[in-house]
Amino acid sequence: MAKLKWLKADLHVHTVLSPCAELEMGPKGLVKAALERGLGLLGITDHNAWANVPAVVELAQQYDIGVLPGMEVQTREEVHVLCFFPDTKRLVTAGQQIYAHLPDVCNRADIFGDQIIVDAKENIIAFEDRMLLNSVDLSLEQVRDITWENHGIIIPAHVDRPAFSLIANLGFVPPDLKPTALEISTQVDKETAMERFPQLKGYTLVTSSDAHRLDDFETTRSTYFYVAAPTLAEIVLACKGLNNRKVVIASEGTVF
Ligand SMILES: [Zn+2]
Ligand SMILES: [Zn+2]
């Protein structure tokens, strides 16, 4: 039987590809922060883009840190949803389909910041020209379907926030959406979130930093998965509470 252990995770992390992220958010900075914070799993989720995932995967695996290949898609409803895939190949296949629905608007780097694609050594490979901070012309369900077709899962992001969130924009969780989990921001604990948003009842909750700068990793709470490995398949089992896998949100310093 697989040996299970607790894995501290941060499933919502931006890189220098996101125009709103700081330049320090390259693979080296992220891996260093993960080591300092004891994180065994990072979800790399740039806005509507994925090009820095391979670089982070390459560096992170040298330090035994798992990476969930992902992206944070902004749907037609202006809802932010995290999409995760079992591997980079499937992420790219889905990502290309989603990116094709992003408005063809040029990034104004002087206003929004550069959108930088790097390798594992943080050499600049290219700049992404298309403005990533826009809604794709796809509904939440369409983004979900593209993700599912590529063996991925969705986790609507920061549902407690007053903007770009499922609850703020739709007011409820569509009953047939079937998200694997819902993400609450680090601003609220689970109990407060459940009290404020009864719509969350019955769903698995995770919390993540939504880090745009290294300081953002310093959260008071984190998500811990009890799993056999830092893989998407294991995370899904944990979110569903199957095969003894589980997931909890706990304060920093909690000893399991
Ligand atoms: Zn967001
Ligand atoms: Zn984000």
Side-chain angles (χ1 to χ4, degrees):
M1 225 171 74
K3 195 168 179 298
L4 304 180
K5 60 175 185 182
W6 287 101
L7 186 70
K8 188 179 176 185
D10 191 339
L11 296 186
H12 189 161
V13 175
H14 291 266
T15 79
V16 288
L17 179 54
S18 294
C20 38
E22 297 293 328
L23 287 176
E24 63 200 18
M25 299 299 274
K28 289 183 193 171
L30 298 186
V31 165
K32 187 166 177 281
L35 290 171
E36 283 170 7
R37 300 284 294 168
L39 293 163
L41 180 64
L42 293 178
I44 301 300
T45 53
D46 282 308
H47 293 290
N48 299 316
W50 64 90
N52 279 343
V53 169
V56 180
V57 169
E58 186 186 329
L59 190 64
Q61 67 188 11
Q62 296 171 27
Y63 295 89
D64 215 15
I65 298 165
V67 173
L68 284 193
M71 54 200 290
E72 180 177 26
V73 179
Q74 183 174 316
T75 70
R76 183 186 287 153
E77 303 91 344
E78 296 199 337
V79 170
H80 283 189
V81 59
L82 305 176
C83 306
F84 293 108
F85 300 87
D87 52 56
T88 308
K89 190 164 170 266
R90 291 204 166 95
L91 165 69
V92 172
T93 305
Q96 283 171 339
Q97 289 177 56
I98 292 167
Y99 181 89
H101 291 270
L102 188 64
D104 193 7
V105 175
C106 219
N107 181 34
R108 287 285 308 273
D110 54 331
I111 299 172
F112 301 107
D114 283 316
Q115 303 178 152
I116 308 169
I117 300 170
V118 294
D119 66 15
K121 296 193 169 98
E122 298 192 349
N123 298 307
I124 295 176
I125 298 172
F127 290 90
E128 165 64 52
D129 291 329
R130 197 179 292 191
M131 180 63 206
L132 295 175
L133 295 181
N134 269 319
S135 297
V136 296
D137 184 21
L138 292 168
S139 69
L140 181 57
E141 279 79 9
Q142 285 173 313
V143 171
R144 189 267 322 266
D145 289 346
I146 291 171
T147 304
W148 280 0
E149 282 159 18
N150 290 282
H151 305 268
I153 63 163
I154 61 159
I155 300 181
H158 42 67
V159 295
D160 55 299
R161 287 219 196 125
F164 298 115
S165 89
L166 185 65
I167 303 294
N169 293 25
L170 300 188
F172 63 103
V173 185
D176 57 354
L177 186 64
K178 298 190 170 63
T180 299
L182 301 174
E183 181 201 69
I184 54 173
S185 76
T186 52
Q187 307 300 312
V188 288
D189 59 39
K190 189 174 168 180
E191 291 68 34
T192 309
M194 297 293 291
E195 221 173 88
R196 276 171 55 195
F197 307 104
Q199 304 97 314
L200 307 184
K201 193 164 179 274
Y203 291 97
T204 297
L205 299 186
V206 296
T207 192
S208 351
S209 68
D210 194 4
H212 285 72
R213 50 171 57 215
L214 293 179
D215 284 349
D216 292 341
F217 280 104
E218 294 188 22
T219 56
T220 52
R221 282 172 291 277
S222 291
T223 302
Y224 296 80
F225 292 98
Y226 190 59
V227 287
T231 61
L232 185 70
E234 286 286 321
I235 297 312
V236 170
L237 287 176
C239 288
K240 292 181 175 172
L242 296 173
N243 300 4
N244 293 327
R245 274 73 167 169
K246 53 192 163 185
V247 55
V248 298
I249 296 172
S251 304
E252 277 317 302
T254 302
V255 179
F256 292 95

